[in-house]
Short mmCIF file of all heavy atoms in Angstrom, two decimals:
data_model
loop_
_atom_site.label_atom_id
_atom_site.label_comp_id
_atom_site.label_asym_id
_atom_site.label_seq_id
_atom_site.Cartn_x
_atom_site.Cartn_y
_atom_site.Cartn_z
N VAL A 1 -3.31 5.30 9.09
CA VAL A 1 -4.27 4.56 9.88
C VAL A 1 -3.52 3.74 10.94
O VAL A 1 -2.68 2.92 10.60
CB VAL A 1 -5.12 3.63 8.98
CG1 VAL A 1 -6.01 2.73 9.82
CG2 VAL A 1 -5.93 4.44 8.01
N HIS A 2 -3.79 4.02 12.20
CA HIS A 2 -3.15 3.29 13.29
C HIS A 2 -4.21 2.45 14.00
O HIS A 2 -5.26 2.94 14.39
CB HIS A 2 -2.52 4.25 14.30
CG HIS A 2 -1.39 5.04 13.71
ND1 HIS A 2 -0.20 4.49 13.38
CD2 HIS A 2 -1.31 6.35 13.39
CE1 HIS A 2 0.59 5.41 12.89
NE2 HIS A 2 -0.06 6.55 12.87
N VAL A 3 -3.91 1.22 14.08
CA VAL A 3 -4.82 0.32 14.78
C VAL A 3 -4.13 -0.08 16.08
O VAL A 3 -3.02 -0.62 16.06
CB VAL A 3 -5.12 -0.92 13.91
CG1 VAL A 3 -6.05 -1.87 14.63
CG2 VAL A 3 -5.68 -0.50 12.58
N ASN A 4 -4.77 0.22 17.15
CA ASN A 4 -4.15 -0.13 18.43
C ASN A 4 -4.20 -1.66 18.62
O ASN A 4 -4.93 -2.37 17.96
CB ASN A 4 -4.79 0.63 19.59
CG ASN A 4 -6.30 0.38 19.66
OD1 ASN A 4 -6.79 -0.54 19.03
ND2 ASN A 4 -7.00 1.21 20.41
N GLU A 5 -3.42 -2.13 19.56
CA GLU A 5 -3.25 -3.58 19.72
C GLU A 5 -4.53 -4.26 20.16
O GLU A 5 -4.83 -5.38 19.75
CB GLU A 5 -2.13 -3.84 20.73
CG GLU A 5 -0.77 -3.46 20.21
CD GLU A 5 0.32 -3.76 21.22
OE1 GLU A 5 0.11 -4.64 22.09
OE2 GLU A 5 1.37 -3.13 21.14
N LYS A 6 -5.32 -3.61 20.98
CA LYS A 6 -6.56 -4.24 21.43
C LYS A 6 -7.53 -4.40 20.28
O LYS A 6 -8.16 -5.44 20.12
CB LYS A 6 -7.21 -3.39 22.53
CG LYS A 6 -6.46 -3.38 23.82
CD LYS A 6 -7.15 -2.53 24.84
CE LYS A 6 -6.36 -2.48 26.15
NZ LYS A 6 -6.99 -1.62 27.14
N ALA A 7 -7.63 -3.38 19.47
CA ALA A 7 -8.53 -3.46 18.32
C ALA A 7 -8.00 -4.48 17.31
O ALA A 7 -8.77 -5.16 16.65
CB ALA A 7 -8.68 -2.09 17.66
N ALA A 8 -6.68 -4.58 17.19
CA ALA A 8 -6.10 -5.53 16.25
C ALA A 8 -6.37 -6.95 16.68
O ALA A 8 -6.61 -7.83 15.85
CB ALA A 8 -4.60 -5.30 16.13
N ASN A 9 -6.33 -7.22 17.99
CA ASN A 9 -6.62 -8.56 18.48
C ASN A 9 -8.08 -8.91 18.30
O ASN A 9 -8.44 -10.04 18.00
CB ASN A 9 -6.23 -8.69 19.95
CG ASN A 9 -4.72 -8.67 20.11
OD1 ASN A 9 -4.01 -9.00 19.18
ND2 ASN A 9 -4.25 -8.29 21.29
N VAL A 10 -8.94 -7.92 18.49
CA VAL A 10 -10.37 -8.17 18.39
C VAL A 10 -10.78 -8.31 16.93
O VAL A 10 -11.54 -9.21 16.56
CB VAL A 10 -11.16 -7.03 19.09
CG1 VAL A 10 -12.65 -7.19 18.85
CG2 VAL A 10 -10.85 -7.00 20.57
N ASN A 11 -10.30 -7.42 16.11
CA ASN A 11 -10.75 -7.40 14.72
C ASN A 11 -9.54 -7.56 13.79
O ASN A 11 -9.11 -6.62 13.13
CB ASN A 11 -11.49 -6.08 14.44
CG ASN A 11 -12.34 -6.17 13.19
OD1 ASN A 11 -12.34 -7.19 12.51
ND2 ASN A 11 -13.06 -5.10 12.90
N SER A 12 -8.98 -8.74 13.74
CA SER A 12 -7.77 -8.98 12.95
C SER A 12 -8.04 -8.90 11.45
O SER A 12 -7.15 -8.57 10.66
CB SER A 12 -7.15 -10.32 13.30
OG SER A 12 -8.04 -11.36 12.95
N SER A 13 -9.23 -9.21 11.02
CA SER A 13 -9.51 -9.14 9.57
C SER A 13 -9.50 -7.68 9.11
O SER A 13 -9.09 -7.40 7.98
CB SER A 13 -10.85 -9.80 9.26
OG SER A 13 -11.92 -9.07 9.85
N ALA A 14 -9.92 -6.74 9.93
CA ALA A 14 -9.87 -5.32 9.57
C ALA A 14 -8.42 -4.87 9.44
O ALA A 14 -8.05 -4.13 8.51
CB ALA A 14 -10.61 -4.47 10.60
N PHE A 15 -7.56 -5.31 10.37
CA PHE A 15 -6.14 -4.98 10.30
C PHE A 15 -5.52 -5.55 9.02
O PHE A 15 -4.75 -4.87 8.33
CB PHE A 15 -5.44 -5.51 11.54
CG PHE A 15 -3.98 -5.20 11.58
CD1 PHE A 15 -3.54 -3.91 11.84
CD2 PHE A 15 -3.05 -6.19 11.33
CE1 PHE A 15 -2.20 -3.62 11.87
CE2 PHE A 15 -1.70 -5.90 11.36
CZ PHE A 15 -1.27 -4.61 11.63
N ASP A 16 -5.85 -6.81 8.72
CA ASP A 16 -5.34 -7.43 7.50
C ASP A 16 -5.83 -6.70 6.26
O ASP A 16 -5.10 -6.53 5.28
CB ASP A 16 -5.77 -8.91 7.42
CG ASP A 16 -5.05 -9.77 8.45
OD1 ASP A 16 -3.99 -9.31 8.94
OD2 ASP A 16 -5.55 -10.87 8.75
N HIS A 17 -7.08 -6.26 6.28
CA HIS A 17 -7.65 -5.53 5.16
C HIS A 17 -6.92 -4.20 4.94
O HIS A 17 -6.60 -3.83 3.80
CB HIS A 17 -9.15 -5.28 5.41
CG HIS A 17 -9.84 -4.64 4.25
ND1 HIS A 17 -10.08 -5.31 3.08
CD2 HIS A 17 -10.33 -3.39 4.09
CE1 HIS A 17 -10.69 -4.50 2.24
NE2 HIS A 17 -10.87 -3.31 2.83
N ILE A 18 -6.60 -3.51 6.02
CA ILE A 18 -5.87 -2.24 5.91
C ILE A 18 -4.47 -2.49 5.38
O ILE A 18 -3.97 -1.75 4.52
CB ILE A 18 -5.85 -1.52 7.27
CG1 ILE A 18 -7.25 -1.01 7.61
CG2 ILE A 18 -4.85 -0.36 7.26
CD1 ILE A 18 -7.38 -0.47 9.01
N GLN A 19 -3.82 -3.54 5.87
CA GLN A 19 -2.48 -3.87 5.39
C GLN A 19 -2.50 -4.23 3.90
O GLN A 19 -1.59 -3.87 3.15
CB GLN A 19 -1.88 -5.02 6.22
CG GLN A 19 -1.52 -4.65 7.63
CD GLN A 19 -0.44 -3.59 7.66
OE1 GLN A 19 0.49 -3.61 6.87
NE2 GLN A 19 -0.60 -2.62 8.57
N MET A 20 -3.54 -4.92 3.47
CA MET A 20 -3.68 -5.28 2.06
C MET A 20 -3.84 -4.02 1.21
O MET A 20 -3.21 -3.87 0.16
CB MET A 20 -4.88 -6.21 1.88
CG MET A 20 -5.11 -6.62 0.42
SD MET A 20 -6.59 -7.60 0.20
CE MET A 20 -7.85 -6.41 0.61
N LYS A 21 -4.66 -3.09 1.66
CA LYS A 21 -4.87 -1.83 0.93
C LYS A 21 -3.58 -1.03 0.86
O LYS A 21 -3.25 -0.44 -0.16
CB LYS A 21 -5.96 -1.00 1.61
CG LYS A 21 -7.34 -1.57 1.52
CD LYS A 21 -7.98 -1.11 0.25
CE LYS A 21 -9.45 -1.51 0.30
NZ LYS A 21 -10.17 -1.03 -0.83
N LEU A 22 -2.83 -1.01 1.99
CA LEU A 22 -1.55 -0.31 2.02
C LEU A 22 -0.58 -0.93 1.02
O LEU A 22 0.11 -0.22 0.27
CB LEU A 22 -0.97 -0.33 3.43
CG LEU A 22 0.41 0.34 3.60
CD1 LEU A 22 0.32 1.81 3.28
CD2 LEU A 22 0.92 0.12 5.02
N PHE A 23 -0.51 -2.25 0.98
CA PHE A 23 0.37 -2.93 0.04
C PHE A 23 0.01 -2.58 -1.40
O PHE A 23 0.87 -2.28 -2.23
CB PHE A 23 0.31 -4.45 0.25
CG PHE A 23 1.03 -5.23 -0.79
CD1 PHE A 23 2.42 -5.31 -0.77
CD2 PHE A 23 0.34 -5.87 -1.82
CE1 PHE A 23 3.09 -6.03 -1.74
CE2 PHE A 23 1.02 -6.57 -2.78
CZ PHE A 23 2.38 -6.65 -2.75
N ARG A 24 -1.27 -2.62 -1.73
CA ARG A 24 -1.71 -2.30 -3.09
C ARG A 24 -1.39 -0.85 -3.46
O ARG A 24 -0.97 -0.56 -4.57
CB ARG A 24 -3.20 -2.57 -3.24
CG ARG A 24 -3.53 -4.03 -3.31
CD ARG A 24 -5.00 -4.23 -3.53
NE ARG A 24 -5.31 -5.65 -3.56
CZ ARG A 24 -6.53 -6.14 -3.51
NH1 ARG A 24 -7.56 -5.32 -3.39
NH2 ARG A 24 -6.73 -7.44 -3.55
N SER A 25 -1.60 0.05 -2.55
CA SER A 25 -1.32 1.46 -2.85
C SER A 25 0.18 1.69 -3.02
O SER A 25 0.59 2.46 -3.89
CB SER A 25 -1.90 2.36 -1.77
OG SER A 25 -1.32 2.08 -0.51
N GLN A 26 1.01 1.00 -2.22
CA GLN A 26 2.46 1.12 -2.40
C GLN A 26 2.90 0.54 -3.74
O GLN A 26 3.74 1.12 -4.44
CB GLN A 26 3.19 0.41 -1.25
CG GLN A 26 3.13 1.15 0.05
CD GLN A 26 3.73 0.35 1.18
OE1 GLN A 26 3.92 -0.86 1.07
NE2 GLN A 26 4.01 1.01 2.30
N ARG A 27 2.32 -0.59 -4.09
CA ARG A 27 2.63 -1.20 -5.39
C ARG A 27 2.27 -0.25 -6.52
O ARG A 27 3.05 -0.04 -7.45
CB ARG A 27 1.86 -2.52 -5.54
CG ARG A 27 2.11 -3.20 -6.87
CD ARG A 27 1.05 -4.19 -7.23
NE ARG A 27 -0.24 -3.50 -7.34
CZ ARG A 27 -1.40 -4.12 -7.39
NH1 ARG A 27 -1.47 -5.41 -7.30
NH2 ARG A 27 -2.51 -3.44 -7.50
N ASN A 28 1.09 0.35 -6.46
CA ASN A 28 0.66 1.29 -7.49
C ASN A 28 1.57 2.52 -7.55
O ASN A 28 1.85 3.05 -8.61
CB ASN A 28 -0.79 1.72 -7.26
CG ASN A 28 -1.76 0.59 -7.50
OD1 ASN A 28 -1.42 -0.41 -8.14
ND2 ASN A 28 -2.97 0.72 -6.99
N LEU A 29 2.03 2.96 -6.38
CA LEU A 29 2.95 4.09 -6.32
C LEU A 29 4.24 3.75 -7.05
O LEU A 29 4.72 4.54 -7.87
CB LEU A 29 3.23 4.47 -4.87
CG LEU A 29 4.27 5.58 -4.67
CD1 LEU A 29 3.71 6.91 -5.13
CD2 LEU A 29 4.70 5.65 -3.22
N TYR A 30 4.82 2.61 -6.78
CA TYR A 30 6.07 2.22 -7.44
C TYR A 30 5.88 2.05 -8.94
O TYR A 30 6.70 2.50 -9.75
CB TYR A 30 6.64 0.93 -6.84
CG TYR A 30 7.16 1.11 -5.44
CD1 TYR A 30 6.77 0.25 -4.42
CD2 TYR A 30 8.04 2.13 -5.12
CE1 TYR A 30 7.24 0.42 -3.13
CE2 TYR A 30 8.52 2.30 -3.84
CZ TYR A 30 8.12 1.44 -2.85
OH TYR A 30 8.59 1.59 -1.59
N LEU A 31 4.81 1.41 -9.34
CA LEU A 31 4.57 1.20 -10.77
C LEU A 31 4.36 2.51 -11.52
O LEU A 31 4.94 2.73 -12.58
CB LEU A 31 3.37 0.27 -10.98
CG LEU A 31 3.58 -1.20 -10.66
CD1 LEU A 31 2.26 -1.95 -10.79
CD2 LEU A 31 4.63 -1.79 -11.55
N SER A 32 3.53 3.38 -10.96
CA SER A 32 3.27 4.65 -11.65
C SER A 32 4.51 5.55 -11.63
O SER A 32 4.79 6.24 -12.61
CB SER A 32 2.08 5.36 -11.03
OG SER A 32 2.32 5.66 -9.67
N GLY A 33 5.27 5.53 -10.56
CA GLY A 33 6.50 6.31 -10.50
C GLY A 33 7.53 5.83 -11.52
O GLY A 33 8.16 6.64 -12.21
N PHE A 34 7.70 4.55 -11.62
CA PHE A 34 8.65 4.02 -12.59
C PHE A 34 8.18 4.29 -14.01
O PHE A 34 8.98 4.62 -14.89
CB PHE A 34 8.85 2.51 -12.36
CG PHE A 34 9.89 1.92 -13.24
CD1 PHE A 34 11.24 2.23 -13.04
CD2 PHE A 34 9.56 1.07 -14.27
CE1 PHE A 34 12.22 1.68 -13.85
CE2 PHE A 34 10.53 0.53 -15.09
CZ PHE A 34 11.86 0.84 -14.88
N SER A 35 6.89 4.18 -14.27
CA SER A 35 6.35 4.48 -15.61
C SER A 35 6.56 5.94 -15.95
O SER A 35 6.93 6.27 -17.09
CB SER A 35 4.85 4.16 -15.67
OG SER A 35 4.63 2.80 -15.46
N LEU A 36 6.36 6.83 -15.00
CA LEU A 36 6.59 8.26 -15.22
C LEU A 36 8.06 8.52 -15.52
O LEU A 36 8.39 9.27 -16.45
CB LEU A 36 6.15 9.04 -13.98
CG LEU A 36 6.23 10.55 -14.05
CD1 LEU A 36 5.29 11.07 -15.14
CD2 LEU A 36 5.85 11.15 -12.71
N PHE A 37 8.95 7.88 -14.77
CA PHE A 37 10.39 8.05 -15.02
C PHE A 37 10.76 7.54 -16.41
O PHE A 37 11.50 8.20 -17.15
CB PHE A 37 11.19 7.29 -13.95
CG PHE A 37 12.64 7.24 -14.23
CD1 PHE A 37 13.43 8.37 -14.04
CD2 PHE A 37 13.24 6.09 -14.70
CE1 PHE A 37 14.78 8.34 -14.30
CE2 PHE A 37 14.59 6.06 -14.97
CZ PHE A 37 15.36 7.18 -14.77
N LEU A 38 10.27 6.38 -16.80
CA LEU A 38 10.58 5.85 -18.13
C LEU A 38 10.04 6.76 -19.23
O LEU A 38 10.68 6.94 -20.28
CB LEU A 38 10.00 4.44 -18.30
CG LEU A 38 10.82 3.33 -17.67
CD1 LEU A 38 10.14 1.99 -17.92
CD2 LEU A 38 12.22 3.31 -18.21
N TRP A 39 8.86 7.33 -19.01
CA TRP A 39 8.30 8.25 -19.99
C TRP A 39 9.22 9.45 -20.18
O TRP A 39 9.48 9.86 -21.31
CB TRP A 39 6.91 8.71 -19.56
CG TRP A 39 6.30 9.69 -20.50
CD1 TRP A 39 5.74 9.44 -21.71
CD2 TRP A 39 6.22 11.10 -20.32
NE1 TRP A 39 5.31 10.60 -22.28
CE2 TRP A 39 5.59 11.64 -21.45
CE3 TRP A 39 6.61 11.96 -19.30
CZ2 TRP A 39 5.35 12.99 -21.59
CZ3 TRP A 39 6.37 13.31 -19.45
CH2 TRP A 39 5.74 13.81 -20.58
N LEU A 40 9.76 10.00 -19.09
CA LEU A 40 10.67 11.14 -19.18
C LEU A 40 11.96 10.76 -19.91
O LEU A 40 12.47 11.51 -20.75
CB LEU A 40 10.98 11.69 -17.79
CG LEU A 40 9.82 12.36 -17.06
CD1 LEU A 40 10.20 12.67 -15.63
CD2 LEU A 40 9.40 13.61 -17.79
N VAL A 41 12.50 9.59 -19.60
CA VAL A 41 13.73 9.14 -20.26
C VAL A 41 13.49 8.93 -21.75
O VAL A 41 14.30 9.36 -22.59
CB VAL A 41 14.26 7.84 -19.60
CG1 VAL A 41 15.35 7.19 -20.42
CG2 VAL A 41 14.77 8.14 -18.20
N LEU A 42 12.39 8.31 -22.11
CA LEU A 42 12.10 8.09 -23.53
C LEU A 42 11.88 9.40 -24.27
O LEU A 42 12.32 9.56 -25.42
CB LEU A 42 10.87 7.18 -23.69
CG LEU A 42 11.10 5.71 -23.34
CD1 LEU A 42 9.78 4.96 -23.39
CD2 LEU A 42 12.10 5.09 -24.28
#
């Protein structure tokens, strides 16, 4: 998702919302990946 600068200035809460969703999805990716790795090691 790319938000151009004009849209970001006009609707900053939408940009923040997308960044928040991206952060949560990255966090979930790291957690699930590490859990999968630990499961394989165990």
Side-chain angles (χ1 to χ4, degrees):
V1 173
H2 295 289
V3 179
N4 57 15
E5 291 181 24
K6 291 180 182 178
N9 289 337
V10 173
N11 198 357
S12 64
S13 66
F15 181 73
D16 290 341
H17 185 71
I18 290 172
Q19 290 297 321
M20 179 184 66
K21 292 273 190 176
L22 178 63
F23 172 76
R24 286 183 181 168
S25 61
Q26 287 174 343
R27 179 200 61 194
N28 291 343
L29 175 70
Y30 290 129
L31 287 174
S32 61
F34 185 70
S35 298
L36 184 63
F37 172 75
L38 280 181
W39 178 76
L40 292 171
V41 168
L42 287 174

